[in-house]
Amino acid sequence: MGLLSDPNRRRALTKLLTRLNAPICVMCYLAGVAWFMGLAFEPFTLRTYMSENAMGSTMVEERFPAGERALATGREFAAHKKKVGGMPVDWLVKTMQSRGLEVFTQSFTRKLPFPDENKERYMVRGTNVYGILRAPRAPRTEALVLSAPCSEGNNNNQAVGLLLGLAQYFRSQIHWAKDIIFLVNEHDLIGMQAWLEGYHHTNTTGGDWSPLQGRGGSIQAALSLELSSDVITSLDLVLEGLNGQLPNLDLANLFYAFCQKIGVLCTIQGKLQRNDWDTTSGYSHAAQTMMLMVLKQASGRPWGDHGLFLRYHIEAASIRGINSFRQYKTDTTTIGRLLEGMYRKLNNLLERLHQSYFFYLMPSLSRFVSIGYYMPAFGLLAVILLLRVSFHLWDNRGFYFYLTPSSPGVLSILTPVVISHMTGVALYTLPILSQEMAVQHFPVSETEAVVLTAIAIYTAGLALPHNTHRLLQGEGTEEGWRVLKLVALLYLAVLLGCTALINFSLGFILALSLVPIAAFITPHTPKALSAAIMVLLSPGCTLLYCVFVFQELQETPVSLQDGWMLFLSVISQGILDHALYGSLVYPLLALLIYPCWLLLWNILFWK
Amino acid sequence: MAAPLTLLLIVAVTIRAVLFRSSLAELIPERVEVVSPLNAWKRVVEGLALLDLGVSPYAGDVFHETPLIIYFFHFVIDYAEIVFMVMGCVFLLQFRKQKYALEAERYPLDCLELIRTPKEMYYIPLKVAMFYLLNPFTILSCVAKSTCGLNNAVIALFILCTVKGSSLMSAIFLALATYQSIYPLTLFAPALLYLLQRLYIPVNWQRSSFWLFTTQYTFMYLGSLCVMVCLSFFLLSSWDFLSSVYGFILSVPDLTPNIGLFWYFFAEMFEHFRLFFICVFQINVFFYTIPLSIKLKEHPIFLIFMQIAIISIFKSYPTVGDIALYMAFLPAWNHLYRFLRNIFLVSVVLLACSALFPVLWHLWIYAGSANSNFYYAITLLFNVAQILLVSDYFYAYLRREHHLTHGLYLKRKDGSEATLVLK
């Protein structure tokens, strides 16, 4: 408490902080980055272990025999799908009924705010079919979900076949204590959204769907299956859900444990685990896996059909079969046995999965970094902002200054703040509102119109400082920019802190690019150079780099031209994700981060 | 003076009206930071419905308002939104008048620098009104239709009457505030001290005039409290409300998370320690009255501020509306500004915590990935910041008094510049 009440000791501390401010800040930044990179180094990570007792030691014997029959069902499904030209609802209902399930359908329609060019859809109309296997041994208060998407073309037919095969096999077993819901959803996430909202009686995004006629108990866990070939080389686990939410780590542990037991190659982010952690290439492999996870999580979009379950407190993951050129192949029977084992274990759950971690990063499937280990990396970056606050707050003798009651008028600070936020609101609302007008006047499609309007508004914001000053009478003072900078620093610190709590990856990436400019921008730095650096580190450019880095890490490097096209499509996807599923990344960037960056831009051009 | 006040009033009412009509109006009353089981509008509606059906509103463990409130709302239910706005305005009007009265205080004239100029004083009511009406906390609690606004209005009326020196009205409003939520009981001491000071009666145990006035004031206070309680009894013809309102406040059976310190502690506690710790926690709220009254007996108005702040920090079901009440006083002490040391740190922490409350709530309740410890950590930090704020003001007040008597620029015995150190 002496620090809070004794002026002499306080002065010593503040003197130290102000004199060594810049070196400490640089040190913190480097330490933060180093800490983050160190997370992928195996001795610094923890080995995954099963925390949930109910899934731990119980013996499960997997006996699923009917892989071939499942594939045959899958082929039949494909034929009917081709005939109908979409979801073969009648055939699915009939088949599920013949396997002894209670079958229901749900139809939904959804009009997208603008056409989705990646998936070529605008007016979406579809049907979900689901069958419930009622638990024979328990009061049916809980349920598990197994879902497979009905995709366009020849994709995922095997997944539906295996789902039906498993349904038939599960029906003959007597030890199910939870309802098992077999769901075939059309139009991937849009169908999933309709089904989940129907199941839970909510309607958050204004979709139009028919109510569900049948329900099981409260859903404890869900797996989404994606399988497009008869044999596979490996199974990939996808965890990242909406807004960067992750399922409980025990679900990943369960998957990994069964892959080990049955002998299936398993990957995460499409990367196999390697044992040579002490070599450079081994480390860089782990680092790449982790960076991929960070980038995917930061994007805030669901990376598989499971992504929307997480919003309802349901632990969910997608399992994706991958068929590459490797010699060693796994057949469908084995995948069936793996899924059987997982469901048998999930069936044993006595309470929701909660024992293990919810905040983690995975450098490989058997290693994880928990929140306690990765948060310091962010903390080291965030502390720079606070150090800079103290620097601007105290003079060299350790007294407060610039915060005297006679400090610049509220108006001169409030004007840039309000105008920046207005620009943010424009960036958030105008692209979708003005698409019709843009299409009429320019030779572009609706999607291009939305993306280009967004980029135009974003760029127009750069002209802001000059217009802000026209609104203000008189010159900006020296104290004026200092107070504005103080406000911007604190604002950014709170903003990034909150973001990092919800979605660490997004917070960290934004901190990585925004903290340096926030820390060192003043009106007295060389204008042209600082402006160039600021633009290069602005949120939009960060997104562009992320696109390139992501492609690079996935080992599918793209040319500049393609990268730019990809960047445009990422923007449109971000806006669509927000409109369709309620992803928060676009509003966060448009309404809060971008205005904050504009405040810093204002400081640079303070006159 | 009137023009800015009117403008302020229009702005404040507009903000509230817009929020009432927006989609946020459904979200805000669900926030645990804004409403507590005591003052949630949803519960008042429930109580009214029960009353209309001829059932005691206290049947069923939902309604915890006092009987007078429910009858009050019974008459004005259709105009509820307007009532909440009017309460805000009532608050404003009081401070307008009250602060002029403060001018009457005289300080020893040895340090001109420290005396507030009349010009500064002139703007204080406006600043106070601004701090209250435009405080996001007040706006939130008004939009949530939390009955906390009513309690704040009653306390404000009490302060106004006290400052104007009308001891009867002061006693009545104090009784009303106590009747509403028990805790304002601790304001009895400062009110008495202030009224004594106004009548030039020294606090002296031997003087009969001191005892006479004290008895008189106590009698008025207890009398009006008694009338209110009996009135409640005759309205409902049962004593149910005593256990349901005061028992509920004192024994803290509802452990819904809020911004206070009680819920986590008592959720974790073994049942057989509960009674003991409830006593400790509740005595904690009342206990500070004695040392503070002794230390600040010359400055009853500041004592009122300290008491209100302590109540709003340590009470069993605090909401942001309570915090807004004592924060409205801060501009009145703007002459202490130069002596505050942690104000920046504290305000930053308070701001950050306010932003983190919804985030951690989301992570805990909706995402299911965090747990109650995360939320309680922020609650704890929030309260520590508030305590720091109050103690900082307390220290600054004492220091200013010291400077008023000893001169602003202190010298050591050897002539060098001295600094005051609080240890």
Side-chain angles (χ1 to χ4, degrees):
Chain A
M1 284 307 279
L3 211 56
L4 288 172
S5 58
D6 184 342
N8 296 325
R9 276 197 251 169
R10 279 166 73 97
R11 204 163 299 156
L13 178 80
T14 53
K15 219 184 258 180
L16 186 78
L17 281 184
T18 41
R19 196 166 298 162
L20 294 176
N21 205 281
I24 295 179
C25 286
V26 175
M27 287 278 293
C28 278
Y29 189 80
L30 295 179
V33 175
W35 187 294
F36 178 73
M37 293 317 292
L39 292 177
F41 191 51
E42 198 169 303
F44 297 160
T45 59
L46 298 172
R47 175 166 279 282
T48 53
Y49 55 93
M50 188 75 79
S51 307
E52 176 62 61
N53 288 327
M55 297 199 307
S57 54
T58 44
M59 293 294 285
V60 176
E61 202 174 331
E62 308 85 21
R63 291 195 175 145
F64 178 71
E68 286 306 318
R69 204 187 307 161
L71 287 179
T73 320
R75 279 190 285 274
E76 204 180 327
F77 169 75
H80 282 276
K81 188 165 84 173
K82 202 173 235 172
K83 205 165 72 189
V84 183
M87 181 101 151
V89 179
D90 296 334
W91 180 83
L92 265 175
V93 170
K94 216 168 63 197
T95 322
M96 281 191 179
Q97 264 163 359
S98 73
R99 277 156 174 71
L101 305 179
E102 278 179 41
V103 188
F104 305 95
T105 58
Q106 181 204 27
S107 58
F108 57 90
T109 53
R110 189 78 210 259
K111 182 169 174 279
L112 273 56
F114 57 91
D116 182 353
E117 291 194 343
N118 284 25
K119 290 178 177 150
E120 291 172 352
R121 57 190 182 190
Y122 183 47
M123 294 288 295
V124 179
R125 183 181 299 277
T127 313
N128 294 322
V129 181
Y130 64 101
I132 305 175
L133 170 62
R134 295 293 180 188
R137 293 184 70 126
R140 302 173 181 177
T141 50
E142 291 174 344
L144 302 171
V145 172
L146 176 61
S147 80
C150 168
S151 332
E152 270 108 55
N154 260 334
N155 291 331
N156 289 327
N157 296 331
Q158 284 83 352
V160 178
L162 184 56
L163 177 120
L164 292 170
L166 280 170
Q168 188 169 18
Y169 176 68
F170 284 1
R171 178 76 176 83
S172 63
Q173 292 184 319
I174 47 145
H175 33 240
W176 298 110
K178 299 184 186 355
D179 294 345
I180 300 182
I181 302 175
F182 296 92
L183 166 70
V184 180
N185 57 315
E186 203 179 358
H187 297 295
D188 48 66
L189 284 164
I190 297 182
M192 197 54 104
Q193 165 99 350
W195 189 80
L196 279 169
E197 295 205 328
Y199 199 92
H200 294 102
H201 282 299
T202 54
N203 195 344
T204 47
T205 45
D208 185 17
W209 33 258
S210 62
L212 293 190
Q213 298 300 324
R215 276 195 185 71
S218 91
I219 304 173
Q220 304 290 304
L223 288 181
S224 169
L225 190 62
E226 290 173 32
L227 209 59
S228 300
S229 56
D230 290 355
V231 285
I232 54 154
T233 48
S234 63
L235 282 177
D236 188 44
L237 182 69
V238 185
L239 298 171
E240 298 84 3
L242 188 72
N243 290 327
Q245 217 180 322
L246 300 170
N248 195 288
L249 188 58
D250 267 345
L251 198 65
N253 295 339
L254 183 68
F255 172 74
Y256 181 66
F258 270 99
C259 285
Q260 295 295 92
K261 182 179 174 195
I262 296 181
V264 182
L265 273 185
C266 52
T267 61
I268 189 162
Q269 323 298 348
K271 304 228 181 233
L272 269 176
Q273 191 174 346
R274 285 168 57 158
N275 291 326
D276 51 343
W277 58 267
D278 43 358
T279 63
T280 320
S281 67
Y283 166 75
S284 91
H285 184 79
Q288 281 175 14
T289 316
M290 192 181 73
M291 297 274 276
L292 268 174
M293 179 157 186
V294 166
L295 285 173
K296 279 187 178 177
Q297 198 190 6
S299 76
R301 53 183 317 204
W303 285 81
D305 282 1
H306 73 283
L308 298 174
F309 279 100
L310 299 169
R311 177 194 277 167
Y312 298 93
H313 231 303
I314 300 166
E315 307 315 319
S318 287
I319 296 178
R320 192 169 285 163
I322 292 174
N323 196 13
S324 68
F325 302 110
R326 226 173 246 271
Q327 286 297 319
Y328 182 78
K329 302 281 185 193
T330 306
D331 62 354
T332 318
T333 311
T334 319
I335 305 172
R337 279 173 54 213
L338 182 117
L339 286 171
E340 185 200 350
M342 285 181 75
Y343 273 86
R344 286 285 299 279
K345 287 264 190 176
L346 288 171
N347 183 49
N348 288 342
L349 279 181
L350 297 175
E351 42 191 345
R352 279 178 191 280
L353 285 173
H354 67 281
Q355 301 264 11
S356 194
Y357 294 83
F358 283 95
F359 298 102
Y360 52 87
L361 297 175
M362 298 191 91
S364 73
L365 204 44
S366 65
R367 294 263 159 191
F368 76 102
V369 184
S370 77
I371 184 168
Y373 289 82
Y374 66 60
M375 262 307 174
F378 174 79
L380 282 168
L381 294 187
V383 84
I384 296 175
L385 296 174
L386 301 181
L387 281 173
R388 294 310 284 183
V389 168
S390 66
F391 179 71
H392 285 282
L393 200 62
W394 294 318
D395 64 2
N396 288 325
R397 286 168 302 137
F399 287 117
Y400 286 112
F401 69 141
Y402 303 123
L403 271 183
T404 47
S406 62
S407 61
V410 182
L411 206 64
S412 69
I413 307 304
L414 210 59
T415 322
V417 173
V418 170
I419 290 183
S420 303
H421 281 88
M422 297 297 259
T423 322
V425 172
L427 180 60
Y428 176 67
T429 51
L430 283 187
I432 288 181
L433 284 182
S434 67
Q435 52 169 323
E436 267 178 41
M437 205 182 68
V439 170
Q440 276 169 9
H441 293 88
F442 301 97
V444 286
S445 72
E446 274 102 343
T447 318
E448 282 171 330
V450 170
V451 174
L452 294 178
T453 318
I455 294 179
I457 296 172
Y458 186 89
T459 325
L462 302 189
L464 218 57
H466 313 284
N467 301 332
T468 316
H469 283 285
R470 213 165 290 162
L471 272 179
L472 290 176
Q473 279 87 31
E475 298 285 292
T477 54
E478 183 74 3
E479 272 122 28
W481 74 262
R482 278 180 190 273
V483 175
L484 185 60
K485 177 150 184 192
L486 218 57
V487 171
L489 282 172
L490 286 172
Y491 186 31
L492 192 63
V494 172
L495 202 55
L496 290 179
C498 289
T499 312
L501 272 176
I502 293 180
N503 184 344
F504 164 77
S505 306
L506 183 61
F508 186 76
I509 289 177
L510 287 173
L512 218 49
S513 65
L514 287 176
V515 164
I517 51 174
F520 292 103
I521 210 74
T522 64
H524 308 307
T525 48
K527 283 267 162 21
L529 181 69
S530 313
I533 292 175
M534 275 205 71
V535 170
L536 286 179
L537 288 178
S538 76
C541 290
T542 313
L543 180 62
L544 184 63
Y545 309 143
C546 285
V547 169
F548 280 107
V549 172
F550 182 72
Q551 292 298 327
E552 199 65 41
L553 288 172
Q554 279 208 317
E555 292 159 16
T556 51
V558 287
S559 66
L560 272 182
Q561 180 76 33
D562 291 346
W564 176 254
M565 295 314 289
L566 213 54
F567 171 65
L568 298 185
S569 88
V570 163
I571 295 176
S572 74
Q573 291 296 315
I575 299 176
L576 271 180
D577 280 347
H578 172 58
L580 290 180
Y581 320 122
S583 153
L584 291 175
V585 176
Y586 177 62
L588 175 80
L589 287 181
L591 294 174
L592 297 169
I593 301 283
Y594 174 63
C596 194
W597 181 84
L598 277 181
L599 285 183
L600 298 170
W601 184 254
N602 256 304
I603 293 169
L604 178 63
F605 289 100
W606 190 267
K607 271 176 262 172
Chain B
M1 194 66 192
L5 262 181
T6 322
L7 190 70
L8 177 70
L9 200 64
I10 291 170
V11 171
V13 171
T14 318
I15 292 174
R16 284 160 174 75
V18 167
L19 279 174
F20 267 129
R21 299 278 168 271
S22 75
S23 56
L24 285 175
E26 283 171 20
L27 180 76
I28 294 172
E30 302 294 322
R31 301 294 318 172
V32 284
E33 296 89 357
V34 183
V35 295
S36 71
L38 273 181
N39 57 24
W41 177 243
K42 243 174 30 183
R43 290 169 185 258
V44 177
V45 173
E46 169 77 14
L48 283 174
L50 287 177
L51 193 66
D52 285 342
L53 291 173
V55 186
S56 160
Y58 300 103
D61 191 35
V62 174
F63 182 72
H64 302 290
E65 285 289 354
T66 49
L68 288 184
I69 279 281
I70 194 165
Y71 275 95
F72 173 68
F73 277 114
H74 200 72
F75 293 117
V76 297
I77 179 75
D78 298 332
Y79 312 101
E81 286 180 19
I82 300 167
V83 170
F84 283 105
M85 285 190 191
V86 169
M87 284 309 147
C89 307
V90 168
F91 196 90
L92 173 134
L93 292 176
Q94 280 139 54
F95 273 100
R96 194 180 147 190
K97 290 174 191 152
Q98 181 227 315
K99 289 304 158 202
Y100 284 123
L102 261 186
E103 268 179 288
E105 290 181 58
R106 288 275 174 268
Y107 295 105
L109 288 167
D110 54 350
C111 296
L112 276 175
E113 257 186 88
L114 293 179
I115 304 297
R116 285 181 286 183
T117 60
K119 185 167 169 265
E120 280 173 27
M121 292 289 289
Y122 185 71
Y123 285 111
I124 285 177
L126 184 66
K127 281 186 184 165
V128 170
M130 205 161 84
F131 250 63
Y132 188 74
L133 287 179
L134 298 185
N135 190 335
F137 288 160
T138 329
I139 294 174
L140 283 178
S141 100
C142 176
V143 173
K145 299 197 219 163
S146 153
T147 50
C148 175
L150 278 173
N151 297 353
N152 286 356
V154 170
I155 293 177
L157 279 169
F158 152 71
I159 296 167
L160 174 70
C161 297
T162 313
V163 169
K164 299 208 111 183
S166 88
S167 51
L168 177 66
M169 290 309 281
S170 154
I172 290 176
F173 279 115
L174 181 59
L176 194 57
T178 316
Y179 169 76
Q180 282 290 341
S181 62
I182 300 187
Y183 294 114
L185 177 66
T186 57
L187 298 178
F188 180 80
L192 181 65
L193 285 172
Y194 184 81
L195 292 169
L196 284 171
Q197 204 178 59
R198 255 184 91 92
L199 297 170
Y200 303 106
I201 302 172
V203 182
N204 188 340
W205 308 109
Q206 268 105 49
R207 296 282 284 269
S208 62
S209 61
F210 167 75
W211 285 111
L212 190 68
F213 186 78
T214 310
T215 324
Q216 203 183 344
Y217 190 68
T218 317
F219 184 73
M220 283 191 285
Y221 171 66
L222 289 179
S224 40
L225 195 59
C226 198
V227 167
M228 280 166 209
V229 172
C230 291
L231 193 61
S232 311
F233 172 70
F234 290 126
L235 280 174
L236 291 174
S237 55
S238 86
W239 291 108
D240 279 353
F241 73 94
L242 283 183
S243 64
S244 201
V245 177
Y246 306 119
F248 187 76
I249 294 174
L250 290 177
S251 68
V252 205
D254 190 317
L255 299 179
T256 317
N258 57 29
I259 56 171
L261 298 165
F262 278 67
W263 64 273
Y264 185 86
F265 204 74
F266 287 101
E268 296 285 309
M269 178 148 334
F270 288 119
E271 200 55 39
H272 50 276
F273 292 124
R274 195 183 157 89
L275 183 66
F276 171 70
F277 275 101
I278 280 187
C279 294
V280 172
F281 269 60
Q282 297 288 8
I283 288 170
N284 182 37
V285 187
F286 296 99
F287 181 75
Y288 297 102
T289 317
I290 303 164
L292 283 177
S293 305
I294 294 168
K295 186 73 196 167
L296 292 173
K297 64 173 186 272
E298 309 290 324
H299 314 285
I301 295 291
F302 190 73
L303 182 56
I304 290 184
F305 162 72
M306 292 292 293
Q307 287 292 356
I308 292 178
I310 285 168
I311 290 173
S312 80
I313 296 169
F314 293 116
K315 73 192 279 191
S316 45
Y317 303 103
T319 60
V320 291
D322 300 310
I323 296 167
L325 177 65
Y326 81 80
M327 282 195 171
F329 279 88
L330 297 185
W333 318 119
N334 60 2
H335 54 289
L336 302 180
Y337 189 84
R338 54 185 296 166
F339 299 120
L340 293 176
R341 288 133 341 123
N342 298 319
I343 184 74
F344 185 73
L345 178 77
V346 167
S347 42
V348 167
V349 172
L350 285 178
L351 274 178
C353 285
S354 314
L356 284 173
F357 273 131
V359 169
L360 288 167
W361 182 259
H362 171 87
L363 283 180
W364 174 22
I365 301 295
Y366 294 99
S369 36
N371 53 38
S372 56
N373 300 329
F374 289 58
Y375 190 75
Y376 188 63
I378 289 305
T379 311
L380 215 52
L381 190 61
F382 190 69
N383 282 302
V384 167
Q386 286 190 68
I387 292 167
L388 264 182
L389 178 75
V390 173
S391 53
D392 210 14
Y393 266 94
F394 183 54
Y395 171 79
Y397 200 88
L398 293 184
R399 180 152 171 209
R400 178 168 173 274
E401 290 308 312
H402 184 87
H403 281 305
L404 279 173
T405 43
H406 294 94
L408 187 56
Y409 300 102
L410 300 176
K411 298 272 187 239
R412 284 220 186 92
K413 273 181 192 144
D414 57 357
S416 63
E417 197 181 323
T419 49
L420 282 179
V421 175
L422 178 80
K423 279 192 173 152

